[in-house]
């Protein structure tokens, strides 16, 4: 293990499986050929078992060599099952479609049959945001579109996106877009030539 880099050693020293690690890379043609040879072997003789074991060891060797020679950034990753991935994606679409009625992470997770931690981990994985960060950005994006395309008041837009405080809308809108909602709308009107 001395020849492994620190990241690789950390994986193999975790003998209790307390951490999960994720590394994504492609298989080489050589590795693909080895896998195909293993799959093609139909016999169950002792020598065939040895051959399969040796090919698996060769694949492991190739992957470890590739992994050890690269400066790989390992990130701890929460593994999601397929139904959890689907729930996260449906929850994100629900948020976008129902900004005015979104309540909280726990309620959202319950509605989609997963727990709040799994939902948060899924949003971090797919969107690199917490659920609440995602909600705020979705609300701001919808508000921006409404300020551009309609003459709705800030109160009406706030109602439509689920934020009742006009001052809060102005504050977060300005933090995101660099202008207050009124200034943003006025700049868009000038840009489009309505003045």
């Amino acid at each position: 293990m001395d020849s492994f880099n620190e990241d690789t050693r950390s994986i193999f020293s975790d003998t209790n499986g307390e951490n999960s690690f994720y590394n994504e890379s492609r298989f080489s043609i050589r590795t693909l050929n080895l896998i195909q040879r293993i799959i093609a072997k139909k016999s169950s003789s002792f020598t065939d078992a040895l051959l399969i074991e040796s090919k698996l060891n060769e694949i492991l060797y190739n992957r470890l060599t590739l992994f050890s020679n690269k400066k790989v950034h390992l990130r701890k990753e929460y593994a999601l099952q397929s139904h959890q991935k689907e729930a996260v994606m449906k929850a994100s679409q629900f948020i976008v479609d129902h900004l005015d009625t979104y309540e909280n992470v726990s309620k959202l997770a319950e509605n989609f049959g997963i727990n709040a931690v799994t939902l948060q981990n899924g949003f971090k994985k797919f969107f690199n945001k917490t659920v609440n960060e995602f909600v705020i950005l979705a609300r701001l994006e919808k508000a921006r579109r409404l300020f551009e395309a309609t003459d709705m008041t800030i109160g009406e837009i706030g109602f439509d996106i689920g934020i009742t405080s006009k001052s809060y809308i102005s504050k977060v809108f300005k933090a995101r877009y660099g202008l207050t909602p009124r200034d943003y709308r006025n700049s868009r009107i000038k840009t489009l030539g309505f003045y």
Side-chain angles (χ1 to χ4, degrees), residues 78-88 114 118 125-126:
Y78 186 82
L80 294 173
Q81 298 174 358
S82 61
H83 76 278
Q84 293 169 325
K85 291 176 187 176
E86 187 177 328
V88 169
I114 57 177
T118 301
K125 178 177 181 169
F126 294 119

Side-chain angles (χ1 to χ4, degrees), residues 15-70:
T15 57
N16 294 328
E18 295 171 0
N19 299 307
S20 59
F21 296 94
Y22 174 81
N23 173 259
E24 187 172 307
S25 60
R26 294 197 166 112
F27 286 110
S28 67
I29 296 294
R30 182 178 178 180
T31 302
L32 180 62
N33 288 336
L34 289 171
I35 293 170
Q36 288 173 336
R37 285 184 65 193
I38 290 170
I39 293 170
K41 268 293 176 206
K42 299 290 184 205
S43 175
S44 60
S45 70
F46 177 73
T47 54
D48 286 339
L50 284 176
L51 176 65
I52 290 172
E53 185 177 344
S54 71
K55 295 302 175 192
L56 289 172
N57 284 328
E58 189 176 347
I59 291 169
L60 180 60
Y61 170 80
N62 290 340
R63 301 308 294 169
L64 285 173
T65 302
L66 176 69
F67 184 79
S68 296
N69 291 336
K70 279 187 183 177

Side-chain angles (χ1 to χ4, degrees), residues 106-117:
S106 298
K107 183 73 173 162
L108 183 66
E110 183 183 316
N111 288 345
F112 287 94
I114 57 177
N115 68 47
V117 172

